[in-house]
Amino acid sequence: MHRIVTRRVLAQTLYSRYRNVGGEARAGINIARLRISPTVTIPSPQSWRNFKSSSHQIFTAGSYYDTIYALSSANGKAGIAVIRISGPDCLQVYHSLCPSKKAPKPRYATVRTLYSPGTQGSEILDSAALVLYFPGTQTVTGEDVLELHVHGGSATVKAVLSAISRCSTDGIVRYAEPGEFTKRAFMNNRLDLAQVEALSEILAAETEQQRRAAVRGSSGSLGRTYEDWRRRLLEARAEMEALIDFQEDQHFDESPATLVGSVSRQVRDILKSIEVHEMASQRTELLRNGIQVALLGPPNAGKSSLMNQIVGREASIVSGESGTTRDIIEANLDIRGYLCTFADTAGFRTATTSGAVSTTHPETRIGVVEEEGIRRARAKAMESDVIVVLASVEKRAAQGYEICYDLETLKLAAACPQRLVLINKIDVVSEADLHLLVHKFREGVLKEIFGLDDIVPTLISCQQARNQSSDGQDPGGIRLVADRLVLAFQNMTSLPASLQDLHGVTERQRQLLVQCRNSLEEYAEVTEDVNTDGQEAAQDIDLTMAAEHLRHAASCLGRITGRGEAGDVEEILGVIFEKFCVGK
């Protein structure tokens, strides 16, 4: 018997039956009341209890009827602590903690004194707790839920939690496992797996953009979309398999070629939609994992100073000596809701570096350590999402002032879709001289590099930003750099208004979508000889293989939502729910 049958049938159906049956149902399963095909074998209560999955989180029949409880608010001292109780014995727990008090009105807050069970009201746990009762099935878990809002002192919380386990109930009352409340919501069809993952992302969100992306994925629209695709593929597969099995005995209104052509059109539509979802997933992953920003430039151009100004602390060593940064120094920060990782790299000093050789030590050569630092900087730039290249205004003994830059770093930036070119140390020359230097730099350097020919350099002064000597509101132009970085981040992660829900596509879902796409593309290869008019030799179509590709594609979609008949859904549940904390 498929494990998915036991999970779907027992987890989704038995609880609603349980509320209306007697004590016999608690020890067994009322098979007669389950609407299941007679070909499906239902396990005995004992065999179900002994059933084990490779996922340690799977419930047994007994554990599904357990009443669970946990602290749902954060650990530690607080004004209020929220203890959540879910399961069939919620009201019995309430009557044990509040003897001689009638049950609270559903969905209304009630102040009660909580007593230690078995003390006949002589030992008070909390003299003024707020109690809320939510009868199933329209609750967060789909079961009866009782919430106790108690005073948040550590001793009070421990006393109440300890008392719940001692309450007199018909069934088992135990402390919840990590993620078990959410898992019961999934089992009772209150959430699909896509919504569960979105909830996990909400709990893990550290920045505003991460929060927004997670909230957009919690609406349930993604799950409905994937379930619609799966249903369409299953219907198409059913028609194909009927054609395979009965085409010699039965008359069909459509020829095999016409049927395949109709299915192929649906497959092409789904493939186009999957492509959009994959693109959205890549953009969302930047929000979740952080955007990689590499700072490149020649030695002593001000990369370390710029990084310190952006992150707001001394993350890198700043010195007038060239080459003080030899390894990659990274710092994480939140820039207006976007999680970023800035990498300060070694200065590039090559034959393409303008003015890179020290005027005081012209014989200085690149050592082994510096060469390794440059290699690592180059590799870091290749894997970064945004490249920021620095040039700087430097004084040369004979030529006066000029803009020092490294050609290789500019070419690396030109190959990156999102890049910025900054000119540092603008405070050392007059405004008129700076204008001439920038014009010469743009015309003689940037316009000769494809991809940078239309870029306008951003002028900054890390010295002014550090000393805040400028009279303007943006000393040194650092705020302007942040503005342009945020604009780049928006270009990398934004989606049209009609596709905002796609920010909820996770990496796990993307991988399954890739597998689904591969199966649909294999289907298209098998049926590629069918023309748009449906006129094709039917005997040349391998309908069995085409139906198998549709089956695998639908299975991948079912694994996304957890509602399909995929044999390894239980393993998927273990991976997802183990990320949750106890009490959620």
Side-chain angles (χ1 to χ4, degrees):
M1 185 193 65
H2 293 298
R3 285 178 290 174
I4 186 64
V5 173
T6 60
R7 181 180 73 83
R8 291 297 305 278
V9 171
L10 295 176
Q12 296 174 10
T13 308
L14 288 183
Y15 181 71
S16 61
R17 308 295 190 195
Y18 169 86
R19 295 176 59 82
N20 299 318
V21 298
E24 295 81 7
R26 299 190 182 185
I29 300 175
N30 192 349
I31 299 178
R33 300 187 64 181
L34 300 179
R35 294 185 178 181
I36 307 172
S37 170
T39 60
V40 178
T41 303
I42 300 299
S44 66
Q46 185 60 39
S47 64
W48 172 243
R49 287 189 178 93
N50 293 334
F51 173 79
K52 297 294 182 182
S53 166
S54 59
S55 165
H56 297 295
Q57 300 295 325
I58 186 64
F59 295 126
T60 64
S63 66
Y64 187 78
Y65 286 126
D66 293 349
T67 297
I68 59 174
Y69 68 95
L71 177 66
S72 290
S73 54
N75 286 313
K77 187 181 297 183
I80 295 175
V82 179
I83 298 173
R84 177 179 290 172
I85 307 166
S86 178
D89 294 329
C90 280
L91 286 181
Q92 294 184 41
V93 171
Y94 167 80
H95 288 300
S96 293
L97 297 176
C98 305
S100 73
K101 292 290 185 180
K102 66 178 183 180
K105 185 177 180 181
R107 304 182 187 279
Y108 278 80
T110 307
V111 178
R112 289 285 187 265
T113 298
L114 304 183
Y115 297 93
S116 180
T119 62
Q120 289 75 44
S122 62
E123 183 180 340
I124 296 177
L125 299 174
D126 194 331
S127 60
L130 195 67
V131 178
L132 291 136
Y133 172 62
F134 305 93
T137 58
Q138 299 300 313
T139 64
V140 64
T141 62
E143 305 171 325
D144 289 351
V145 172
L146 182 69
E147 286 191 359
L148 307 177
H149 296 218
V150 302
H151 291 90
S154 299
T156 301
V157 173
K158 289 180 181 178
V160 175
L161 289 174
S162 177
I164 293 174
S165 64
R166 303 195 307 270
C167 290
S168 176
T169 60
D170 294 337
I172 297 174
V173 178
R174 60 175 175 82
Y175 202 75
E177 298 175 359
E180 190 168 355
F181 288 98
T182 305
K183 193 166 188 177
R184 291 197 174 193
F186 168 74
M187 293 295 189
N188 291 314
N189 279 327
R190 298 297 295 164
L191 298 173
D192 60 39
L193 274 189
Q195 290 175 295
V196 169
E197 288 182 290
L199 177 58
S200 178
E201 297 294 338
I202 290 175
L203 298 176
E206 297 179 348
T207 69
E208 176 63 14
Q209 295 301 325
Q210 289 177 337
R211 182 196 65 80
R212 291 184 180 183
V215 168
R216 288 164 185 149
S218 63
S219 65
S221 63
L222 281 177
R224 290 190 294 271
T225 297
Y226 298 143
E227 186 63 20
D228 177 66
W229 294 353
R230 189 182 72 87
R231 179 188 54 77
R232 290 162 60 185
L233 293 178
L234 288 179
E235 290 175 355
R237 173 192 166 199
E239 291 183 7
M240 280 197 167
E241 292 188 344
L243 192 63
I244 295 171
D245 295 336
F246 306 113
Q247 63 177 332
E248 296 181 357
D249 302 327
Q250 302 290 334
H251 172 71
F252 291 89
D253 294 334
E254 295 180 325
S255 67
T258 303
L259 173 62
V260 172
S262 175
V263 173
S264 296
R265 284 190 291 274
Q266 294 189 58
V267 167
R268 285 193 294 269
D269 291 341
I270 294 176
L271 281 172
K272 291 179 182 178
S273 299
I274 289 177
E275 182 179 353
V276 176
H277 282 234
E278 287 186 58
M279 177 273 296
S281 172
Q282 295 170 356
R283 290 176 172 251
T284 306
E285 281 303 302
L286 291 174
L287 296 178
R288 292 194 182 101
N289 300 330
I291 301 172
Q292 303 291 321
V293 182
L295 303 179
L296 306 180
N300 208 30
K303 299 183 297 299
S304 298
S305 297
L306 175 63
M307 180 170 174
N308 291 341
Q309 289 298 318
I310 291 177
V311 303
R313 59 183 175 86
E314 294 293 327
S316 298
I317 298 175
V318 177
S319 171
E321 178 184 351
S322 299
T324 52
T325 302
R326 297 298 177 90
D327 205 350
I328 297 174
I329 299 175
E330 295 185 331
N332 297 327
L333 72 155
D334 179 348
I335 296 185
R336 301 178 193 174
Y338 292 93
L339 178 62
C340 313
T341 299
F342 277 82
D344 181 15
T345 63
F348 279 65
R349 190 159 65 91
T350 65
T352 62
T353 304
S354 171
V357 179
S358 171
T359 56
T360 57
H361 301 283
E363 73 284 356
T364 301
R365 294 183 179 181
I366 300 177
V368 176
V369 176
E370 185 178 359
E371 185 176 358
E372 174 62 18
I374 294 173
R375 186 197 66 79
R376 294 186 182 187
R378 187 181 297 113
K380 186 65 179 178
M382 297 291 290
E383 64 185 32
S384 295
D385 304 306
V386 180
I387 292 181
V388 179
V389 175
L390 271 78
S392 61
V393 179
E394 305 288 350
K395 185 176 182 180
R396 301 303 170 206
Q399 298 86 0
Y401 288 95
E402 63 179 30
I403 294 181
C404 173
Y405 63 91
D406 181 82
L407 186 59
E408 182 181 1
T409 60
L410 292 173
K411 290 181 177 180
L412 287 170
C416 183
Q418 300 296 331
R419 65 269 183 178
L420 293 178
V421 177
L422 312 181
I423 299 178
N424 189 25
K425 305 180 184 180
I426 61 173
D427 56 297
V428 300
V429 295
S430 65
E431 186 174 345
D433 291 340
L434 178 63
H435 177 75
L436 293 175
L437 289 173
V438 173
H439 178 76
K440 180 180 178 181
F441 180 63
R442 288 193 64 190
E443 297 295 327
V445 180
L446 297 183
K447 289 195 174 181
E448 298 298 322
I449 302 174
F450 178 76
L452 300 181
D453 46 343
D454 59 348
I455 198 167
V456 178
T458 303
L459 308 181
I460 66 171
S461 172
C462 293
Q463 182 68 30
Q464 286 183 344
R466 185 164 53 248
N467 299 334
Q468 296 187 356
S469 60
S470 173
D471 295 334
Q473 296 182 352
D474 183 15
I478 303 301
R479 189 176 303 168
L480 179 59
V481 174
D483 291 340
R484 296 195 173 181
L485 283 172
V486 170
L487 182 60
F489 299 159
Q490 291 174 346
N491 293 335
M492 298 165 62
T493 61
S494 62
L495 291 172
S498 60
L499 301 178
Q500 289 295 306
D501 287 338
L502 300 191
H503 270 306
V505 180
T506 65
E507 177 61 18
R508 184 191 73 88
Q509 295 167 14
R510 187 194 67 81
Q511 292 176 6
L512 289 171
L513 286 175
V514 170
Q515 295 179 32
C516 177
R517 173 170 54 80
N518 291 338
S519 294
L520 294 180
E521 288 174 347
E522 290 173 353
Y523 165 87
E525 291 179 4
V526 172
T527 61
E528 62 183 352
D529 293 333
V530 181
N531 60 40
T532 55
D533 296 329
Q535 303 302 320
E536 191 269 343
Q539 60 270 21
D540 294 336
I541 306 174
D542 190 343
L543 294 179
T544 301
M545 186 60 66
E548 176 60 21
H549 291 319
L550 293 179
R551 183 202 67 78
H552 186 263
S555 174
C556 293
L557 295 174
R559 290 161 63 190
I560 292 180
T561 61
R563 301 305 182 195
E565 296 188 2
D568 55 351
V569 165
E570 305 300 350
E571 285 79 0
I572 298 171
L573 297 183
V575 172
I576 292 176
F577 286 103
E578 68 184 7
K579 300 178 182 178
F580 282 82
C581 60
V582 176
K584 193 60 182 175

